[in-house]
Amino acid sequence: MACFTFFKFMMVLFNLLILLGGLTLLGVGIWVSVDKGLFPQLLSLFTLDMQFVKVGFFCIAIGGVLVLLGVLGCCGAHKGSKCLLLLFFSIILIIFIAEVAAGTVALAYSSFAEGILKAWATFVLKNQYGSDPVVTKIWNSTMTELNCCGFTNYTDFTDSYYSEQSEGSYPPSCCQLDTAPCSQQQAWHSAVQGCFEQLLEALQKHANIVGGIAVGIGGLEVAAMLVSMYLYCYLDNNVS
């Protein structure tokens, strides 16, 4: 009985955290969807100009799922409902399988995903950099912080809107020399790395942290499934 009480307490506590996380995401999602300020505009940049993903709606959807999970887990543990516990276990299991499948696909088709990302970034740099202030500010900050130029290299700005408007020059980040403007020849001699390569190097440096977070999330999901199934089996045996 003491073991059952402990697992019940842990189940309620764990799902309260899930519920709080879901409510936070819901709040952020609603704010991003309603507010037209600078920060939502920065987030909306990652809709890839194809309307595949709306950040606000995405946060609302994920937050709603987390709130549902939190309510199911808390009510199932507190009321001793086998139906709610089984439903909670099923949803967590589906999410876990989806995450494993997504990770496997990402590893198997990483080069394909890189091609899509490159096509999008190249389009944005050639057509929106220099004309869209939000896009320009984000890329300038990224290139300055990472000491990089474009997505692949300086050629991303060749025949671009920015280049045409600046008489064939390139962004200052593409040249290591302090002289302005940054010409194509100077950019070629500088050979500044593209931001994608810099991001990959940064990810590789922090691979242990990223992997640890992924393992931690997976561990929490497995723990939640084990606890919910233990409570379900305990209640099933007592009812029987």
Side-chain angles (χ1 to χ4, degrees):
M1 183 65 184
C3 188
F4 172 78
T5 303
F6 171 77
F7 278 109
K8 181 178 179 180
F9 171 77
M10 291 301 297
M11 183 74 172
V12 172
L13 178 62
F14 179 75
N15 282 281
L16 281 176
L17 294 176
I18 293 178
L19 182 61
L20 289 175
L23 290 173
T24 302
L25 271 179
L26 274 175
V28 171
I30 294 172
W31 172 50
V32 170
S33 299
V34 174
D35 190 3
K36 301 302 180 183
L38 177 61
F39 182 66
Q41 289 180 27
L42 298 181
L43 289 180
S44 66
L45 174 66
F46 297 96
T47 58
L48 307 186
D49 295 330
M50 293 178 285
Q51 307 303 317
F52 285 161
V53 179
K54 284 291 186 181
V55 175
F57 295 142
F58 180 75
C59 289
I60 291 174
I62 298 299
V65 172
L66 290 178
V67 169
L68 176 62
L69 278 175
V71 171
L72 285 175
C74 286
C75 292
H78 181 69
K79 295 183 177 181
S81 171
K82 294 194 300 178
C83 181
L84 293 179
L85 288 172
L86 185 60
L87 184 58
F88 174 84
F89 173 85
S90 301
I91 294 176
I92 291 290
L93 180 61
I94 292 172
I95 293 175
F96 182 77
I97 293 174
E99 289 172 348
V100 172
T104 303
V105 171
L107 290 175
Y109 296 95
S110 57
S111 59
F112 176 71
E114 179 184 343
I116 294 177
L117 185 59
K118 181 179 179 180
W120 164 74
T122 302
F123 174 82
V124 170
L125 290 173
K126 286 189 177 297
N127 297 279
Q128 297 183 6
Y129 183 85
S131 62
D132 189 318
V134 175
V135 172
T136 306
K137 183 177 181 179
I138 291 175
W139 274 103
N140 282 338
S141 299
T142 302
M143 291 189 293
T144 301
E145 290 294 327
L146 297 179
N147 191 26
C148 58
C149 172
F151 182 84
T152 305
N153 51 37
Y154 75 95
T155 58
D156 291 336
F157 296 100
T158 302
D159 298 326
S160 66
Y161 174 86
Y162 177 85
S163 180
E164 291 175 355
Q165 296 298 313
S166 56
E167 299 180 351
S169 65
Y170 291 74
S173 300
C174 297
C175 289
Q176 293 178 342
L177 302 176
D178 294 331
T179 57
C182 175
S183 67
Q184 183 176 14
Q185 186 177 9
Q186 289 173 329
W188 179 76
H189 280 294
S190 297
V192 178
Q193 272 191 324
C195 294
F196 182 70
E197 292 295 328
Q198 296 287 65
L199 286 173
L200 280 182
E201 290 180 6
L203 286 176
Q204 289 171 357
K205 289 180 181 178
H206 299 87
N208 292 335
I209 297 177
V210 175
I213 293 174
V215 171
I217 293 174
L220 286 175
E221 290 171 344
V222 171
M225 287 189 289
L226 291 175
V227 171
S228 61
M229 188 49 59
Y230 170 83
L231 295 175
Y232 176 86
C233 293
Y234 181 91
L235 292 171
D236 188 51
N237 291 333
N238 280 311
V239 169
S240 303

